[in-house]
Amino acid sequence: MSYKPKKIKKVLIANRGEIAVRIIQACHELNMEAVAIYTDADKGNLASQLADEAIHIGESLAHKSYLNKEKVIEAALKAGADAIHPGYGFLSENADFAKQVVDSGLIFVGPSSDIIKTMGDKAQAILKAKEAGVPTIPGTEVLSDKSVALSEAEKIGYPLVIKAIAGGGGKGIRIVEKKEDLLSQFEIATTEAKAAFGNGGVYFETYLPRAKHIEVQVLGDGENVVHLYDRECSLQRRRQKVVEEAPSPSIDSEIRESLCQSALKLAKLVKYKGAGTLEFLYDMDKKKFYFLEMNTRIQVEHAITEMITGIDIVREMLMIADGVPLRFSQSDINIRGASIEIRINAEDPSNNFFPSPGKINDVFYPTGAGIRIDTMLFNGRVIPPFYDSMVAKMIVYDENRDMAISRMNRALRQIRIDGIKTTIPLFKDLFTDARVCAGDYDINYLESWLSK
């Protein structure tokens, strides 16, 4: 039966690139009109072509366009939109923006501003995790005084991690190996945090040298919450995820159940609404997991969860925002097979990942069972230098992890993006590495692998 929207007839997508395209697709499947926004640099982009309407939002620089709350809301009102979907990045986890959207009479596709404010603040999120009985890494309160920082560091011990309370995307993190480096790193971290997030607050955590980055996808309607199982995101460069897979190859069914139930307890405690992700570190030596933070938005890597559960997360987000209660219970959700995603960036891996904006001369995507491409690319498109370098995601699915890797290798042999440098050569090498194929890697592995 075709979906009939209740309150949301038209959605403005406050984003760009592949996620804007992804949301437009979901809108159209739900018989909702989609409005794209674009800048000078993004004129003629794929989202603008696929949307029912496209509105110029401003100059190329993000702070004058995609990050300008007032301009985005003005565009939504001008278009007669009922709702705004923020995607990921930009304003997606900005509590003030979520509040302004609602105050303007529009629906924010995501959690309330209060939940974003609480769970987007790492220190507050950790307190909530403790309240829910979820394991957390030994750490400190927010620190602002150097003398207090020194004494707290002695209690935790070295090495330790300095983290910005408002950080995200791997930013605002510094590892301190010894006492002599603490004060200089503390000052750098607070300065960077203030510049990047407008909040200089930092805290310390125990450093886990052999850790896996594992996260749990949740979906809630404000009353009921379910988890959609786990993803592993341990292959990282400069704390930015490069490869993700679902489910994690690193945990057994007992750990998986405990991990997912912990995520569920925390999401239920805050009465979560929409799609969210709870991130954990898994200590490989002690076989224990610890809550890290919560992302109150759709994740880049949501596609692999969709592949193993059969649930369209973006579509469910829109339906929940439209007033539809959660449509399934936990017992309805099962893991089927394995899925792997690679983030294809406009960067040159042979030249220290130097950015490679430019014109796409020709693009060819592999086809066949179990291959999905989420992208912003088309022949002739010029990739601008102003935004994140990711231009596509290639997702594969198969009956088990070994077959998914084999399918990924086949797809990598076939995909072609001409005109710019991309990270595709990196993945061709990475998926022939014995430890990657065995799932025997941690959050530091890719950096060491690249330095060989």
Side-chain angles (χ1 to χ4, degrees), residues 94 96 121 164-168 172 189-202:
N94 188 305
D96 290 338
D121 181 314
I165 63 169
T190 53
T191 302
E192 284 183 346
K194 180 69 176 176
F197 310 113
N199 185 336
V202 299

Side-chain angles (χ1 to χ4, degrees), residues 15-16 83 118 129 156 162 177 217 246 263 295 317 330 437-438:
N15 219 295
R16 64 177 300 279
T118 298
I156 290 179
I162 304 176
E177 299 284 351
Q217 176 76 58
N295 292 301
M317 287 181 79
Q330 193 62 59
C437 291

Side-chain angles (χ1 to χ4, degrees), residues 135-139 156-163 173-177 204-214 234 236 239 279-292 441-445:
T136 58
I137 301 173
I156 290 179
Y158 297 90
L160 59 79
V161 186
I162 304 176
K163 289 187 174 181
I173 298 175
R174 289 194 165 264
I175 297 169
V176 182
E177 299 284 351
F204 297 162
E205 277 184 352
T206 297
Y207 177 61
L208 304 178
R210 276 185 21 98
K212 292 263 191 176
H213 186 133
I214 301 176
S234 300
Q236 302 178 7
R239 301 185 185 87
E279 302 199 351
F280 296 83
L281 278 184
Y282 178 64
D283 188 325
M284 297 169 66
D285 297 323
K286 296 181 179 179
K287 298 193 181 304
K288 291 183 177 179
F289 60 83
Y290 304 94
F291 172 74
L292 269 182
Y441 56 84
D442 59 30
I443 55 175
N444 298 310
Y445 182 69

Side-chain angles (χ1 to χ4, degrees), residues 11-17 19-20 23 27 35 37 66-67 72 83-95 97-98 101 107-111 116 272 274-275 296-299 314 317-318 321:
V11 182
L12 180 131
I13 296 97
N15 219 295
R16 64 177 300 279
I19 190 60
I23 297 166
C27 286
V35 182
I37 57 175
Y66 297 115
L67 286 170
V72 172
I84 292 179
H85 194 310
Y88 55 70
F90 293 132
L91 296 169
S92 62
E93 293 182 285
N94 188 305
F97 176 64
V101 169
I107 295 168
F108 182 78
V109 182
I116 295 173
Y272 197 78
T296 56
R297 53 170 168 80
I298 192 72
Q299 293 275 96
V314 178
M317 287 181 79
L318 288 163

Side-chain angles (χ1 to χ4, degrees), residues 233-394:
C233 314
S234 300
L235 287 171
Q236 302 178 7
R237 176 179 175 269
R238 295 182 177 174
R239 301 185 185 87
Q240 296 285 321
K241 300 167 186 174
V242 175
V243 176
E244 299 98 350
E245 57 179 306
S248 166
S250 310
I251 56 177
D252 59 27
S253 57
E254 186 177 341
I255 292 289
R256 174 166 290 113
E257 178 65 16
S258 181
L259 179 73
C260 292
Q261 288 303 318
S262 290
L264 206 53
K265 283 195 292 186
L266 182 49
K268 285 180 176 178
L269 177 68
V270 298
K271 296 185 181 298
Y272 197 78
K273 182 178 180 179
T277 299
L278 296 102
E279 302 199 351
F280 296 83
L281 278 184
Y282 178 64
D283 188 325
M284 297 169 66
D285 297 323
K286 296 181 179 179
K287 298 193 181 304
K288 291 183 177 179
F289 60 83
Y290 304 94
F291 172 74
L292 269 182
E293 61 181 311
M294 184 173 193
N295 292 301
T296 56
R297 53 170 168 80
I298 192 72
Q299 293 275 96
V300 173
E301 58 271 22
H302 72 274
I304 52 176
T305 296
E306 293 180 330
M307 300 296 269
I308 66 163
T309 62
I311 294 171
D312 187 316
I313 299 172
V314 178
R315 200 159 65 189
E316 295 300 326
M317 287 181 79
L318 288 163
M319 293 176 72
I320 288 167
D322 198 31
V324 177
L326 202 59
R327 298 189 303 135
F328 30 73
S329 62
Q330 193 62 59
S331 60
D332 297 324
I333 305 165
N334 298 294
I335 295 175
R336 303 175 301 181
S339 185
I340 303 171
E341 172 183 286
I342 59 171
R343 300 187 185 196
I344 301 173
N345 292 349
E347 298 171 349
D348 183 358
S350 66
N351 186 23
N352 198 30
F353 294 86
F354 195 77
S356 180
K359 185 177 180 179
I360 303 298
N361 294 327
D362 188 36
V363 60
F364 175 82
Y365 299 125
T367 58
I371 296 177
R372 166 176 165 179
I373 307 290
D374 285 14
T375 187
M376 59 181 278
L377 296 182
F378 57 88
N379 290 346
R381 175 65 186 153
V382 175
I383 306 303
F386 304 102
Y387 314 112
D388 184 88
S389 62
M390 190 175 75
V391 294
K393 302 181 310 197
M394 185 159 71

